[in-house]
Amino acid sequence: MNAVQPPLQQSFSVPFTYAVHFTRHLFAPENPLFRDYLGQPSPTGQAKKLLFVIDSGVLAHHPTLPDAIAQYVAGIPSAILAADPILVPGGEAAKNDPALVDRLIDAVDQYGIDRHSYIVAIGGGAVLDLVGYAAAIAHRGVRHIRIPTTVLSQNDSGVGVKNGVNYRGKKNFIGTFAPPAAVINDAHFLTTLDERDWRAGIAEAVKVALIKDLAFFEWIEAHAEALAHRDTEAMTELIYRCARMHMQHISSGDPFELGSARPLDFGHWAAHKLEYLTNFSVRHGEAVAIGIALDTVYSQLAGRILAHDADRVLHVFQQLGFDLFHPALAENESENLRRGLTEFQEHLGGQLTITLLDALGQGIEVHDMDFGLIQQAVGRLSSVYSVPFSVG
Amino acid sequence: MNAVQPPLQQSFSVPFTYAVHFTRHLFAPENPLFRDYLGQPSPTGQAKKLLFVIDSGVLAHHPTLPDAIAQYVAGIPSAILAADPILVPGGEAAKNDPALVDRLIDAVDQYGIDRHSYIVAIGGGAVLDLVGYAAAIAHRGVRHIRIPTTVLSQNDSGVGVKNGVNYRGKKNFIGTFAPPAAVINDAHFLTTLDERDWRAGIAEAVKVALIKDLAFFEWIEAHAEALAHRDTEAMTELIYRCARMHMQHISSGDPFELGSARPLDFGHWAAHKLEYLTNFSVRHGEAVAIGIALDTVYSQLAGRILAHDADRVLHVFQQLGFDLFHPALAENESENLRRGLTEFQEHLGGQLTITLLDALGQGIEVHDMDFGLIQQAVGRLSSVYSVPFSVG
């Protein structure tokens, strides 16, 4: 054996930047935002190819959208449409069908989409997750613009760096971390959301407020009635503050989650399980509200927060119109919820890490949950909230 | 329309570090390297799960490898094998079968591999590309250790940050940029390479020398006979120097290739086309040697380098035993080579960017190729090198 060579150490940082823009009626001819974003001609004068992918649920409410896009893009000298928009189903179905990933990859091939082109996704969080994933793996990453259309995607998932699809029923089992080229939140899309989608996205705002920002929680308390009655001003403010906190969390922490902690997953271990147990008939935000309620009551039972503070959390969710209990939470409770904890740990890997509340506006990570207390917390929610709540 | 909110700017850098280790007989009981690498018990005392994936071509030459691994890992208190090693075919076949990606993803699910586990790939560059891709998308990225077994993967592809598979015959059409957790080059694997694989990997070393480091090119000239006669000392030195240059290039430049330039693709536009035209019967390194010869002669015909310098390049390839012409290069020449240039541009996206030589040890990027000169260069190689060369 000859002399062994010393190891070669590799070390580098990859910088990422993107902006989240806020507008209304993005593809109205007089709106300069998208034109300005793309407007710089490339150094070679080549037109930038755009491939749009649209959530069919969005199209149903905005049937003139493809025409508006075609007319708008025709007015951008430096850009061309690569093809007619591709339609994909909205909601979790978008992430459950592997053929949709192939269809998008095929489109990248067929229309000659390269790493200087843009794939533009318009839709809810699930569609953005699907399209972001396909864009991330095609040519090792095609530029991707997200136009989120729901509260949840505008204030949370759509402004972050994750994508993914489900695999054999396992949520987000495959995906990547891939920052978008840009995000554009168009408040007009919020006006056509159904009642459940309008409400569901608010849960993530309550979540970040509870673990990071008491003042924001108090703002939500003060505006809960307005939000419940579809006040657009209040909603755009909520989205802006929530998106900003979500983005600050990403940039100040561990954007690609190379470590273990996931503080933004407050309330999510039970939520994931509940979505699965109800075959996704409970929407993500609805499940998150129940998961937060559960872990809030647990935090109280564990002596971390006062009963009064826990009640404030439950009350604001009630004012917003959320149900705080679902029968599936109590079915085979010890089996289902125990497995929920285990699966949550497996998905993140390593040690179990759960976020609880140490105060309103202050999350804390723990590595152990007392199953007796979990059952007590479920019992409390069951006894108080088992009659579905409706806004008065 | 109410007041529009200002854009939120996101900006962060993601740091990546990994080491490339050099050793022999990695899984010999007395070799501490792998044990030391994994040896720190996790904070929770949980054993780290290891899932090995082995190139079946490597297994054929090293049939006791799985047993050696099992015994070796049994001696690491902090690690356990998740399962028996998974075998995958070597060579381009590994990247052409989508079922292999699914098989690896299924294994991640079946064996509970999480983001704190390690998927360890042992094989040539194609197997490393396949396994690295599956590891990168499972759970949005499982830790991945590469143990490259060929000259090409030890000095070039295996020490970098790319992975990928082919899609409907398009090379590397899907993949990601995902730095490995570690790379371990075991020189013992080189001893069982067949003649062609031993030689082919040297082409990438000649490439980096030609575009970046005259002294290294002169070193290769001085050691060409030794390398051709399978001198392991010379080969490990060549691999070390080439790997170091490749890694420096990545860390000093644009690791995830967010821009357009790809200087390390010197000689590759024709090489990719030649591999495809010969249905990959010409190995990547063999094709790269021909591609370098072509672009070297082109550089001379374009007046960038002296005839004497071009001859030095062709001569060192001859000494190493490379063929510098393949009949497929001249078949439908104008059609095939023109398409090769176009496809190369499409894969990178944006403007055509080709690296030529301005001197030995100094590459230069150009954005235009004269097709008449390309045909002259092919003609020169055809007339001089159309009789396959064999080492004397």
Side-chain angles (χ1 to χ4, degrees):
Chain A
M1 197 183 284
N2 59 1
V4 171
Q5 295 146 318
L8 296 170
Q9 298 290 340
Q10 180 65 294
S11 178
F12 56 83
S13 285
V14 180
F16 296 97
T17 62
Y18 62 93
V20 178
H21 301 272
F22 296 84
T23 192
R24 288 179 189 222
H25 300 290
L26 176 62
F27 295 109
E30 68 276 15
N31 190 325
L33 199 158
F34 197 73
R35 188 161 47 232
D36 288 351
Y37 175 78
L38 289 173
Q40 312 302 330
S42 78
T44 57
Q46 277 184 311
K48 294 162 187 164
K49 281 187 188 175
L50 308 179
L51 179 64
F52 280 82
V53 184
I54 302 179
D55 186 325
S56 57
V58 172
L59 185 68
H61 287 101
H62 303 272
T64 60
L65 186 58
D67 285 345
I69 290 169
Q71 285 180 37
Y72 189 95
V73 173
I76 309 177
S78 61
I80 55 166
L81 288 184
D84 288 339
I86 295 173
L87 290 180
V88 294
E92 207 65 19
K95 298 171 70 170
N96 279 329
D97 181 0
L100 290 174
V101 175
D102 285 350
R103 187 166 153 215
L104 296 175
I105 301 289
D106 283 339
V108 168
D109 183 15
Q110 183 179 352
Y111 304 125
I113 302 298
D114 65 30
R115 285 167 55 86
H116 297 259
S117 309
Y118 293 86
I119 299 180
V120 187
I122 304 177
V127 166
L128 303 184
D129 274 1
L130 161 71
V131 180
Y133 174 63
I137 62 171
H139 293 304
R140 297 197 185 101
V142 170
R143 293 174 186 180
H144 172 48
I145 295 174
R146 293 196 198 127
I147 302 178
T149 58
T150 62
V151 175
L152 182 62
S153 54
Q154 290 196 359
N155 73 7
D156 186 88
S157 62
V159 304
V161 299
K162 297 189 206 179
N163 58 55
V165 294
N166 306 332
Y167 184 78
R168 301 193 199 279
K170 302 239 171 177
K171 195 165 161 75
N172 295 329
F173 197 80
I174 56 183
T176 73
F177 293 89
V183 180
I184 306 173
N185 279 344
D186 182 341
H188 177 62
F189 287 116
L190 305 175
T191 62
T192 57
L193 291 177
D194 75 19
E195 197 67 18
R196 290 178 66 187
D197 282 329
W198 171 277
R199 181 186 302 115
I202 303 174
E204 298 284 358
V206 175
K207 179 200 71 179
V208 289
L210 282 174
I211 59 178
K212 288 182 177 260
D213 186 347
L214 176 59
F216 185 32
F217 180 73
E218 290 174 339
W219 183 94
I220 296 172
E221 286 186 314
H223 294 79
E225 287 298 333
L227 290 165
H229 292 91
R230 301 196 69 140
D231 180 313
T232 307
E233 290 283 336
M235 184 58 101
T236 52
E237 175 71 10
L238 175 122
I239 287 171
Y240 193 79
R241 290 177 75 153
C242 184
R244 187 173 55 194
M245 289 183 67
H246 192 80
M247 290 167 69
Q248 282 168 348
H249 173 80
I250 291 169
S251 60
S252 65
D254 178 15
F256 288 5
E257 297 177 8
L258 302 173
S260 301
R262 287 261 289 257
L264 287 186
D265 276 351
F266 176 49
H268 277 55
W269 71 270
H272 286 164
K273 192 68 195 175
L274 185 58
E275 286 178 86
Y276 180 78
L277 288 172
T278 62
N279 201 21
F280 297 96
S281 68
V282 173
R283 283 169 168 69
H284 180 66
E286 294 170 339
V288 166
I290 293 172
I292 291 173
L294 182 66
D295 285 348
T296 297
V297 173
Y298 181 99
S299 297
Q300 179 206 331
L301 295 173
R304 293 186 176 276
I305 61 171
L306 300 174
H308 172 70
D309 285 340
D311 288 345
R312 280 175 69 182
V313 175
L314 302 179
H315 181 67
V316 79
F317 275 130
Q318 280 192 295
Q319 282 188 294
L320 292 165
F322 282 99
D323 290 331
L324 294 182
F325 180 75
H326 190 288
L329 209 60
E331 282 162 18
N332 294 314
E333 184 184 3
S334 68
E335 170 71 7
N336 282 339
L337 289 182
R338 271 185 212 280
R339 288 196 51 158
L341 274 178
T342 307
E343 287 166 6
F344 189 74
Q345 176 179 4
E346 280 178 356
H347 184 65
L348 299 191
Q351 197 178 10
L352 177 69
T353 302
I354 296 287
T355 299
L356 296 176
L357 295 183
D358 242 11
L360 300 188
Q362 192 181 324
I364 182 165
E365 289 179 1
V366 303
H367 301 291
D368 192 44
M369 292 282 273
D370 180 320
F371 204 72
L373 290 189
I374 292 176
Q375 288 179 306
Q376 278 187 52
V378 171
R380 174 94 59 98
L381 293 178
S382 161
S383 64
V384 180
Y385 301 103
S386 58
V387 180
F389 180 90
S390 47
V391 179
Chain B
M1 195 183 284
N2 58 2
V4 170
Q5 294 146 320
L8 296 170
Q9 298 291 340
Q10 181 64 294
S11 177
F12 56 83
S13 285
V14 181
F16 296 96
T17 62
Y18 62 92
V20 178
H21 301 273
F22 296 84
T23 191
R24 289 180 189 223
H25 299 291
L26 176 62
F27 295 108
E30 68 277 13
N31 190 327
L33 198 158
F34 197 73
R35 189 160 47 231
D36 288 350
Y37 175 77
L38 289 173
Q40 313 302 329
S42 78
T44 58
Q46 277 185 312
K48 294 163 187 162
K49 282 187 186 173
L50 309 178
L51 178 65
F52 280 82
V53 184
I54 302 178
D55 185 324
S56 58
V58 172
L59 185 69
H61 287 102
H62 303 271
T64 62
L65 186 58
D67 285 344
I69 290 170
Q71 285 180 37
Y72 189 95
V73 173
I76 308 178
S78 62
I80 55 167
L81 289 183
D84 288 340
I86 294 172
L87 291 180
V88 293
E92 208 64 20
K95 299 172 68 170
N96 279 329
D97 182 1
L100 291 174
V101 176
D102 285 349
R103 189 166 152 213
L104 296 175
I105 301 290
D106 283 339
V108 169
D109 183 15
Q110 183 179 353
Y111 303 126
I113 302 299
D114 65 28
R115 284 167 55 86
H116 297 259
S117 309
Y118 293 86
I119 300 179
V120 187
I122 304 177
V127 167
L128 303 185
D129 274 0
L130 162 71
V131 180
Y133 173 63
I137 62 171
H139 293 304
R140 297 199 185 99
V142 169
R143 293 175 185 177
H144 173 48
I145 296 174
R146 293 197 199 126
I147 302 178
T149 57
T150 62
V151 174
L152 182 61
S153 54
Q154 290 196 0
N155 72 7
D156 186 87
S157 62
V159 304
V161 298
K162 296 189 207 178
N163 58 55
V165 294
N166 306 332
Y167 184 78
R168 301 193 199 279
K170 301 239 172 175
K171 195 167 163 74
N172 295 328
F173 196 79
I174 57 182
T176 73
F177 293 89
V183 180
I184 306 173
N185 279 345
D186 182 341
H188 177 63
F189 288 116
L190 304 175
T191 63
T192 56
L193 291 176
D194 76 19
E195 197 67 18
R196 289 178 67 187
D197 282 327
W198 171 277
R199 181 187 300 115
I202 304 173
E204 298 283 357
V206 175
K207 178 200 71 178
V208 290
L210 282 174
I211 59 178
K212 288 182 176 261
D213 186 347
L214 175 60
F216 186 32
F217 180 74
E218 289 174 340
W219 182 94
I220 296 172
E221 286 185 314
H223 294 80
E225 287 297 333
L227 290 165
H229 291 91
R230 300 197 69 140
D231 179 314
T232 307
E233 290 283 337
M235 184 57 99
T236 53
E237 175 73 10
L238 174 122
I239 287 171
Y240 193 79
R241 291 178 74 153
C242 184
R244 188 172 55 195
M245 289 183 69
H246 192 79
M247 291 168 68
Q248 284 168 348
H249 173 79
I250 290 169
S251 60
S252 65
D254 178 14
F256 288 4
E257 297 177 8
L258 302 172
S260 301
R262 288 262 288 257
L264 287 186
D265 277 351
F266 175 50
H268 278 53
W269 71 270
H272 286 164
K273 192 68 195 174
L274 185 57
E275 286 179 86
Y276 179 78
L277 289 172
T278 61
N279 201 22
F280 296 96
S281 68
V282 173
R283 284 169 168 70
H284 180 66
E286 294 169 339
V288 166
I290 293 172
I292 291 173
L294 181 65
D295 284 349
T296 297
V297 173
Y298 181 99
S299 298
Q300 178 205 333
L301 294 174
R304 293 186 175 277
I305 61 171
L306 300 173
H308 172 69
D309 286 338
D311 287 345
R312 281 175 69 182
V313 176
L314 302 177
H315 181 66
V316 80
F317 276 128
Q318 280 193 294
Q319 283 188 293
L320 291 166
F322 283 98
D323 290 331
L324 295 181
F325 181 75
H326 189 287
L329 209 60
E331 282 163 19
N332 293 314
E333 184 184 3
S334 68
E335 169 70 6
N336 283 338
L337 289 182
R338 270 185 212 277
R339 288 196 51 157
L341 274 179
T342 306
E343 287 165 5
F344 189 74
Q345 176 179 4
E346 281 177 357
H347 184 65
L348 299 192
Q351 195 178 13
L352 177 69
T353 302
I354 296 286
T355 300
L356 295 176
L357 296 182
D358 242 13
L360 299 188
Q362 192 182 323
I364 182 165
E365 291 179 0
V366 302
H367 301 291
D368 191 46
M369 292 280 276
D370 180 319
F371 205 73
L373 290 190
I374 292 176
Q375 288 179 306
Q376 277 187 52
V378 172
R380 175 94 58 96
L381 293 179
S382 161
S383 64
V384 180
Y385 301 103
S386 59
V387 179
F389 180 90
S390 46
V391 179

